[in-house]
Amino acid sequence: MTVTKEESGQEGADGDGGVSGAGDDYVPSQRRLDRERHKRARARRATAIGALSTLVTGVVLYLVVVNAPGWPRTKETFFDQEYAREAFPKVLEGLWLNVRLLLICGACVLVLGMLIAVARTLRGPVFFPLRVLAAAYTDFFRGLPLIINLMIVVLGVPALRLQGVTVDPVLLGGTALTLTYSAYVAEVFRAGIESVHPSQRAAARSLGLTNRQALRHVVLPQAVRRQVPPLLNDLVSLQKDTGLVSIGGAVDAVRAADIIVGRSLNYTPYIVAGLIFVALTIPMTRFTDWVTARMDSRRAQGGAL
């Protein structure tokens, strides 16, 4: 059906777009203006309701806590301002160790996890022993509690008195963290590799790429891109668990707080350390949520992952 110029211009004036001609300035229709005004009003109303409900919930929780029979003693033991001021600089100084552990262990975890994942996905009977070892590694360290792994490595390795093996609790604690989290990250990478359709590998092979080249240039880039959100979640968990190296005597944020608690018998330093970890974790968590939402949006629109 042929549409005349007059009909096209009339539809542009009556429709939501409000475009009356190619050379005219854009003029939104009244219907579009009313709809946008209604959306803004709904957004303001939703914001007001959310703020009011949050305020009411906060006031109720505050009244419940401060009116509890044991609140005065709890406030003195966990929320003492004097001990908080004393603990803050020392906990912040110890936090630098946690940050360094996160950066170094995070890089080691990504590399080792990728190698284990690739080993588990190798094809051919010649690689069967390698696949078995990789599967045994992931099964063992995913099932072993992290705190027990830390105790075994941090306390057990020095007891062996091996020549040339470090007894530094920081290095041993970082090793235990790497061993455990590599197993989790390996499974994340393996899921991403197996999610790539076999036709991608077949297409790469048809273009003359070897199996190794197809894995490196075709499969792995897609697998890693798809698994970015769960990888970031694992790094957030690693960031929190770096505080467990304190069981070996390493003076990190948790250990610095523990020293003050042992001397004063006041638990406020633990609250300070916990809040600092929360403040450090929230930006990374929000970044993970943003990446996840962005990838979901692109997937819904049919874009490249």
Side-chain angles (χ1 to χ4, degrees):
M1 182 178 66
T2 303
V3 180
T4 64
K5 183 178 181 180
E6 291 78 11
E7 292 174 343
S8 176
Q10 182 64 29
E11 289 179 0
D14 295 339
D16 291 339
V19 180
S20 58
D24 297 336
D25 294 334
Y26 171 73
V27 179
S29 65
Q30 186 61 37
R31 182 186 305 172
R32 184 183 183 91
L33 293 175
D34 293 341
R35 185 167 66 244
E36 292 179 351
R37 189 181 302 111
H38 178 66
K39 287 182 178 179
R40 289 194 297 268
R42 289 186 60 185
R44 287 194 298 268
R45 184 168 59 252
T47 302
I49 294 174
L52 180 61
S53 63
T54 302
L55 179 62
V56 171
T57 303
V59 171
V60 171
L61 291 176
Y62 173 78
L63 294 176
V64 169
V65 171
V66 299
N67 290 321
W71 168 245
R73 180 58 178 170
T74 301
K75 180 181 179 182
E76 179 183 353
T77 306
F78 289 91
F79 302 98
D80 189 283
Q81 295 184 3
E82 179 180 352
Y83 286 110
R85 286 192 295 266
E86 178 187 353
F88 182 77
K90 298 179 180 179
V91 171
L92 201 61
E93 182 181 355
L95 185 67
W96 174 234
L97 175 60
N98 299 102
V99 173
R100 284 181 293 167
L101 281 172
L102 171 65
L103 296 177
I104 297 174
C105 294
C108 295
V109 163
L110 292 176
V111 174
L112 183 57
M114 174 64 76
L115 294 177
I116 296 171
V118 171
R120 291 202 63 180
T121 56
L122 291 175
R123 301 178 178 181
V126 68
F127 296 113
F128 176 75
L130 192 59
R131 291 197 298 268
V132 171
L133 289 176
Y137 177 93
T138 55
D139 291 343
F140 179 78
F141 283 105
R142 289 176 69 197
L144 183 67
L146 176 58
I147 189 69
I148 296 180
N149 186 19
L150 279 163
M151 290 181 178
I152 292 174
V153 175
V154 175
L155 303 179
V157 172
L160 296 175
R161 299 181 181 179
L162 299 174
Q163 295 294 329
V165 178
T166 182
V167 294
D168 187 349
V170 176
L171 295 178
L172 293 176
T175 301
L177 290 172
T178 302
L179 291 174
T180 296
Y181 273 91
S182 294
Y184 289 105
V185 170
E187 288 300 284
V188 173
F189 279 132
R190 186 172 71 92
I193 292 173
E194 293 181 349
S195 69
V196 178
H197 198 274
S199 62
Q200 298 289 316
R201 191 188 297 263
R205 296 283 290 137
S206 68
L207 293 175
L209 274 68
T210 63
N211 281 325
R212 185 177 64 180
Q213 292 173 333
L215 180 66
R216 177 184 175 185
H217 297 291
V218 178
V219 177
L220 288 183
Q222 298 183 62
V224 172
R225 197 157 53 238
R226 294 178 180 182
Q227 299 303 105
V228 167
L231 286 174
L232 290 175
N233 282 326
D234 284 336
L235 290 180
V236 170
S237 298
L238 175 62
Q239 179 176 307
K240 296 181 297 182
D241 286 341
T242 55
L244 294 176
V245 298
S246 60
I247 65 173
V251 183
D252 67 331
V254 178
R255 182 59 179 169
D258 189 56
I259 292 173
I260 301 175
V261 171
R263 174 172 47 82
S264 63
L265 298 180
N266 187 283
Y267 298 103
T268 303
Y270 286 148
I271 302 298
V272 173
L275 292 177
I276 290 178
F277 270 102
V278 170
L280 189 64
T281 303
I282 286 178
M284 198 169 184
T285 305
R286 295 285 75 80
F287 177 71
T288 302
D289 294 340
W290 176 80
V291 171
T292 303
R294 183 171 180 270
M295 296 186 67
D296 290 343
S297 176
R298 294 184 63 182
R299 187 181 296 111
Q301 295 173 3
L305 298 179

